[in-house]
Amino acid sequence: MQPVILDNLVGEFREARAVVMLTGAGVSAESGIPTFRDAMEGLWAKYDPSQLATPEAFDRDSETVTRWYDWRREKCATAKPNPAHLALARLEEHLATQERGFTLLTQNVDRLHQAAGNRNVVELHGTLWVWRCTRCGIEREERTVPFQEYPPRCARGGARRPAVVWFGEMLSEQALKQAHDALATCDFFFSVGTSAVVEPAANFIYSVRHRGPKTVEINRDATPISRVVDWSLLGKAGEVLPELVRRAFGI
Ligand code: BV8
């Protein structure tokens, strides 16, 4: 199915001076990584992700929570960037050659944007590839899967947790500042592959639209912001994004 991309969007996007892309789990879906709204598979089918991704769940049952993250790490370990990730990497590189701005604000924790080649990536919700000791606070990247114990422990025996932002936890000041600085100066804002319900990312659209930037949503399904944006393109990120950057920039 050829995505419907409106000529006026292509024409305006071609003139963009500073682009902000907000991405969610839908961008990694075509890499085989389940989204938060997809039904969880197998052992995890009986769990609700929003009930597992909390500090209370970790305090209550750190084994189950870290086994869930390890299951996700195993899926991410074999996942490859899909055409949506690759289109965003080409876009950032192209805009940089013309000294135009590009900031990628991602809710995803899989680091597939970085694997695709994007550099200016703000990990709003952290990453499941870095783990932090809950006792000494030391963080370390952990790429070997699976873990040998649940939860994994640091040399001094402290339980280690994923360096992600759980529900009820604050986003890092640095990530929020980077996001707000980019949102304050962009002239094109995209929301791609996200259900647009998790705050504060879900509110970003409202912090830009009053200032006049053009706003675009690319998503498989309609969301609460579909009626708010200038263009709402229903379709797969892996099809719409490559088509849009090809028609706008020939890349
Ligand atoms: C905060 C990291 C201040 C972990 C994540 C009541 C009590 C406590 C808190 C709250 C409350 N009410 C509201 C809140 C705030 C809460 C919140 O927003 N809750 C929601 C559920 C209402 N937010 C927070 O707690 C944040 N912190 O606000 O601090 C505070 C503190 C205390 C109390 C109040 C305020 C922290 C939020 C961060 C949570 N951590 N992830 C992990 O990954 O394990 S969020 C998690 O959801 C992921 O990051 C995920 O990316 C994100 C959002 O989901 P999506 O990315 O949108 O994924 P989803 O599955 O939902 O949707 C996928 C979409 O893709 C779908 O629309 C689908 O149609 C589309 N799609 C699918 N395939 C494709 C596609 N589109 C295109 N192409 C395809 N192929």
Side-chain angles (χ1 to χ4, degrees), residues 206-221:
Y206 302 103
S207 67
V208 297
R209 62 193 287 266
H210 71 281
R211 194 171 47 76
K214 296 299 180 193
T215 56
V216 188
E217 178 183 47
I218 298 169
N219 206 60
R220 185 192 64 194
D221 306 308

Side-chain angles (χ1 to χ4, degrees), residues 154-229:
C154 85
R156 285 184 285 278
R160 299 170 74 206
R161 56 162 284 182
V164 298
V165 178
W166 277 328
F167 289 101
E169 293 185 324
M170 300 291 280
L171 278 63
S172 76
E173 281 183 27
Q174 182 188 9
L176 281 174
K177 180 173 185 332
Q178 286 176 294
H180 290 142
D181 289 351
L183 293 165
T185 53
C186 71
D187 61 355
F188 249 91
F189 172 83
F190 286 79
S191 177
V192 186
T194 178
S195 55
V197 296
V198 174
E199 297 164 11
N203 296 328
F204 287 171
I205 176 76
Y206 302 103
S207 67
V208 297
R209 62 193 287 266
H210 71 281
R211 194 171 47 76
K214 296 299 180 193
T215 56
V216 188
E217 178 183 47
I218 298 169
N219 206 60
R220 185 192 64 194
D221 306 308
T223 74
I225 68 168
S226 300
R227 281 192 305 277
V228 171
V229 294

Side-chain angles (χ1 to χ4, degrees), residues 19-129:
V19 175
V20 166
M21 283 279 167
L22 170 65
T23 63
V27 168
S28 293
E30 290 160 80
S31 296
I33 298 178
T35 71
F36 273 66
R37 268 73 193 162
D38 287 341
M40 295 256 276
E41 306 152 23
L43 168 66
W44 303 107
K46 62 179 184 286
Y47 289 90
D48 171 356
S50 59
Q51 297 308 309
L52 283 173
T54 70
E56 294 78 16
F58 182 80
D59 292 343
R60 187 174 56 248
D61 184 355
S62 58
E63 177 179 350
T64 298
V65 171
T66 51
R67 283 188 184 278
W68 179 52
Y69 277 92
D70 210 23
W71 172 73
R72 291 171 64 192
R73 288 169 79 244
E74 290 197 71
K75 283 194 169 293
C76 293
T78 52
K80 296 281 181 276
N82 66 60
H85 295 109
L86 298 173
L88 293 180
R90 289 197 303 276
L91 177 62
E92 177 176 7
E93 187 180 14
H94 177 78
L95 293 176
T97 62
Q98 299 181 349
E99 294 176 358
R100 295 197 251 181
F102 179 93
T103 304
L104 207 169
L105 309 176
T106 189
Q107 300 172 96
N108 298 340
V109 296
D110 54 36
R111 289 199 160 165
L112 283 180
H113 286 305
Q114 294 91 329
N118 276 109
R119 290 178 174 73
N120 193 13
V121 181
V122 180
E123 292 180 321
L124 298 169
H125 298 161
T127 176
L128 54 60
W129 289 120

